[in-house]
Amino acid sequence: MHISNPTRYGLRAVALIYLFILLVVPVGLIFWRSFEHGLGQFWDWITTPAAISALQLSLIIVAIVVPLNVVFGVITALALARGRFRGKGLLQAVVDLPFAVSPVVAGVALIALWGTHGWFGGIESLGFRVIFGVPGMVLATIFVTLPFVVREVEPVLHEIGTEQEEAAATLGASGLQTFWRITLPAIRWGLTYGVVLTVARALGEYGAVTMVSSNFPGVSQTLTLLVHSRYTDDYNEYGAYAAATLLMLVAILMLVVMSLIERRAKGRVRQASSSIVDAADPVEETGADLAAVGEVPAAFDPIDTSRVAESEEK
């Protein structure tokens, strides 16, 4: 379909205006309010004991949730992409459940399971508290971030197929060797993007976490809970803006680190590919280099047919 230039520019302008109003203006306003009273005041707001503890707890939850989601997410994606079993459609629906269910509902469900009067509430008698503690917050975050790795890795597995894995198996590779040397390198970009989404969602989760957290500063208060507490309970509007800015800066830092890792990995793959090509075609390169400087060895000299005929007559 051919689109005229005015229409194309109009569509671009509408998209940019839409993103500017919904994303750039709110984020820019938060940054402006955070630094309105100066950098020193902003630093004081984000270095309070409550803010430092909230940042540490948020990073601890991310450090626990991301590896668990990577391991079980890749296993689930492999089961959905490679397996044939009854109930596969049900498993697909269960994976997508966190997209459809409100995070608050997930928090209520966790309370019904792990609360004092829940199915597994007896575990508190052993001195292990889940609800209104860090374990409950980890479970709530795992619930809301479960689909990201699965839904990013599964399409890649469908795209690469099973030919290379079957070839490795015929050459005697074990299942673990096939996964580490064939499957994992093939899904690394989808897995990387799934990790980025998981980190961003884990840092910014509020609905499910607030249901299973006591929201006590220094005990079970994350950065998102700190923002809400400062804004609604303490009436510290600018302190809430500062905490929100800190949360955004941490998320941006995570995205930058993941982008640098991805770019470095792509550079290694490109370098490895070029070295393979160089090693596979040494004769052509040697001939081309020698021809460029005007030196052609005897092996490349064309046969002089006239001299061959004269030698045969003699």
Side-chain angles (χ1 to χ4, degrees):
M1 182 179 65
H2 178 70
I3 301 177
S4 61
N5 288 335
T7 304
R8 186 182 298 109
Y9 295 145
L11 292 175
R12 291 178 183 177
V14 171
L16 290 176
I17 292 173
Y18 180 78
L19 293 176
F20 182 79
I21 294 175
L22 290 183
L23 295 178
V24 178
V25 173
V27 173
L29 182 61
I30 290 176
F31 274 103
W32 178 69
R33 289 291 184 90
S34 298
F35 297 99
E36 186 176 0
H37 295 278
L39 184 61
Q41 184 62 57
F42 171 78
W43 181 256
D44 291 338
W45 279 326
I46 65 172
T47 54
T48 61
I52 295 175
S53 176
L55 175 61
Q56 291 176 348
L57 182 57
S58 297
L59 295 179
I60 289 173
I61 292 176
V62 170
I64 297 173
V65 168
V66 171
L68 291 175
N69 269 336
V70 167
V71 173
F72 291 102
V74 172
I75 293 174
T76 305
L78 286 170
L80 293 174
R82 300 287 188 258
R84 295 180 180 178
F85 53 90
R86 290 184 178 181
K88 185 176 179 179
L90 179 61
L91 182 58
Q92 292 274 14
V94 170
V95 170
D96 290 333
L97 190 62
F99 288 142
V101 176
S102 171
V104 176
V105 176
V108 173
L110 290 175
I111 293 175
L113 285 175
W114 298 94
T116 304
H117 303 289
W119 289 4
F120 309 117
I123 197 173
E124 290 192 5
S125 62
L126 302 176
F128 186 75
R129 190 171 188 177
V130 177
I131 302 301
F132 304 128
V134 176
M137 301 169 69
V138 170
L139 289 176
T141 309
I142 289 175
F143 180 90
V144 298
T145 57
L146 174 67
F148 292 111
V149 172
V150 180
R151 289 307 175 216
E152 294 300 327
V153 172
E154 185 186 359
V156 180
L157 289 172
H158 284 295
E159 183 179 354
I160 64 176
T162 60
E163 290 79 5
Q164 296 182 1
E165 297 173 357
E166 293 173 354
T170 57
L171 293 174
S174 64
L176 188 60
Q177 289 176 330
T178 302
F179 174 78
W180 282 109
R181 298 188 179 185
I182 303 298
T183 307
L184 186 59
I187 65 173
R188 61 186 180 277
W189 306 128
L191 182 60
T192 301
Y193 193 61
V195 168
V196 171
L197 294 177
T198 302
V199 170
R201 182 63 187 274
L203 284 174
E205 177 54 32
Y206 173 78
V209 170
T210 192
M211 295 298 298
V212 298
S213 171
S214 62
N215 200 15
F216 290 151
V219 178
S220 60
Q221 188 179 66
T222 61
L223 273 177
T224 53
L225 299 179
L226 176 66
V227 173
H228 181 267
S229 178
R230 282 183 173 180
Y231 198 88
T232 60
D233 300 335
D234 302 336
Y235 300 101
N236 185 3
E237 181 179 355
Y238 293 101
Y241 289 143
T245 300
L246 177 61
L247 182 62
M248 288 190 295
L249 292 176
V250 173
I252 292 172
L253 179 62
M254 291 288 184
L255 293 177
V256 171
V257 170
M258 295 303 298
S259 299
L260 292 176
I261 294 174
E262 181 178 357
R263 182 178 301 177
R264 185 175 181 180
K266 285 183 177 179
R268 288 183 177 180
V269 172
R270 192 179 298 111
Q271 183 178 1
S273 301
S274 60
S275 63
I276 291 173
V277 172
D278 294 343
D281 200 13
V283 176
E284 286 78 1
E285 287 188 359
T286 305
D289 294 339
L290 292 173
V293 297
E295 298 179 0
V296 181
F300 293 92
D301 283 342
I303 299 175
D304 192 342
T305 55
S306 61
R307 292 184 179 180
V308 173
E310 291 176 2
S311 63
E312 289 179 354
E313 290 178 358
K314 293 179 180 179

